[in-house]
Amino acid sequence: GEDVEQSLFLSVREGDSSVINCTYTDSSSTYLYWYKQEPGAGLQLLTYIFSNMDMKQDQRLTVLLNKKDKHLSLRIADTQTGDSAIYFCAAENYGGSQGNLIFGKGTKLSVKP
Amino acid sequence: DTGVSQDPRHKITKRGQNVTFRCDPISEHNRLYWYRQTLGQGPEFLTYFQNEAQLEKSRLLSDRFSAERPKGSFSTLEIQRTEQGDSAMYLCASAWGFGLAKETQYFGPGTRLLVL
């Protein structure tokens, strides 16, 4: 089945760019997602990318997809202290009857002023 | 509509007790998912409904767990004879979709369960 891996921690200074990386194993995943989770809260969808795209930009967020290497990244430009959270990469799993999401363990982003 | 809501937000129970959680999805969404998230991990899929039909269950969902979505709107997740290992955040998500077409899952705030 699908497996999603992420680095666990990233620390950046306010105003710098953050790049969070993710790898996945199942090349049949049609959509790949980035979610944000703040302490004690549920998951907030940030953005997603369709597997036939290699880049998607949405304001300060840029998603890059290398389908050959099964590598996904999320770049946050001009990172702010409010961006401090855990970021989850997720891939759709069509092993069952429907695309439930397979999540990585999350990357904790710390933004220092 | 304000999004997916879950109740209660927090639950503390003693081992062996039964607990029930409720999820109210976004009103027009036909699909509803339950996930479990333990500390330091990403959410793990438990089960999925399309309208009132429960179409898929993870092997994580032991026979002590049962989920329903009787009228295709809200859903309940019940855990019987709770164990300390059941302590986790239980997340509900809803989506609108058909077949394998693109859908986006929107998550509720979760119910945090602590089993003593």
Side-chain angles (χ1 to χ4, degrees):
Chain A
E2 178 75 272
D3 191 26
V4 177
E5 299 279 342
Q6 300 178 241
S7 52
L8 296 182
F9 300 99
L10 177 65
S11 181
V12 300
R13 291 216 171 269
E14 193 172 19
D16 288 350
S17 291
S18 307
V19 180
I20 302 171
N21 294 301
C22 168
T23 57
Y24 60 98
T25 55
D26 188 349
S27 58
S28 66
S29 293
T30 309
Y31 288 92
L32 297 144
Y33 301 82
W34 285 103
Y35 282 86
K36 176 183 179 183
Q37 187 176 38
E38 297 185 66
L43 276 72
Q44 173 195 352
L45 176 67
L46 288 178
T47 188
Y48 63 90
I49 189 165
F50 186 50
S51 59
N52 71 351
M53 299 169 65
D54 51 22
M55 186 181 89
K56 180 178 179 181
Q57 188 152 1
D58 184 0
Q59 299 182 339
R60 293 192 297 123
L61 305 178
T62 303
V63 179
L64 296 178
L65 175 60
N66 181 329
K67 197 173 179 183
K68 174 176 166 289
D69 294 339
K70 302 190 189 76
H71 181 267
L72 183 73
S73 68
L74 174 69
R75 178 176 179 269
I76 305 172
D78 186 25
T79 314
Q80 303 297 306
T81 54
D83 295 323
S84 293
I86 299 176
Y87 290 80
F88 291 95
C89 170
E92 286 179 324
N93 174 30
Y94 286 106
S97 60
Q98 180 48 38
N100 64 74
L101 297 177
I102 304 297
F103 287 84
K105 292 185 178 182
T107 299
K108 184 173 183 179
L109 174 64
S110 297
V111 182
K112 298 180 180 177
Chain B
D1 192 298
T2 55
V4 179
S5 61
Q6 293 187 244
D7 184 68
R9 294 291 308 276
H10 304 273
K11 178 71 177 178
I12 300 174
T13 192
K14 292 183 179 177
R15 191 176 54 187
Q17 298 294 304
N18 299 345
V19 294
T20 300
F21 309 141
R22 177 180 170 122
C23 170
D24 286 89
I26 293 172
S27 57
E28 63 268 23
H29 284 182
N30 60 340
R31 290 178 172 165
L32 188 147
Y33 297 81
W34 285 99
Y35 292 83
R36 182 180 72 182
Q37 185 180 20
T38 52
L39 203 60
Q41 303 293 318
E44 297 171 292
F45 169 75
L46 292 178
T47 189
Y48 148 67
F49 291 85
Q50 176 149 314
N51 300 313
E52 65 276 6
Q54 187 174 18
L55 296 187
E56 190 176 352
K57 290 193 281 189
S58 160
R59 58 187 165 80
L60 291 175
L61 210 69
S62 76
D63 56 7
R64 295 185 298 106
F65 288 68
S66 62
E68 293 183 338
R69 195 184 183 198
K71 297 181 181 178
S73 56
F74 73 92
S75 175
T76 57
L77 177 68
E78 181 183 17
I79 310 174
Q80 294 182 324
R81 305 181 304 281
T82 51
E83 301 173 356
Q84 288 180 325
D86 297 331
S87 296
M89 173 86 92
Y90 290 84
L91 293 163
C92 175
S94 71
W96 170 256
F98 281 101
L100 298 182
K102 164 77 179 72
E103 66 173 44
T104 298
Q105 295 183 25
Y106 294 88
F107 282 78
T111 294
R112 186 171 292 281
L113 172 67
L114 177 60
V115 182
L116 301 175

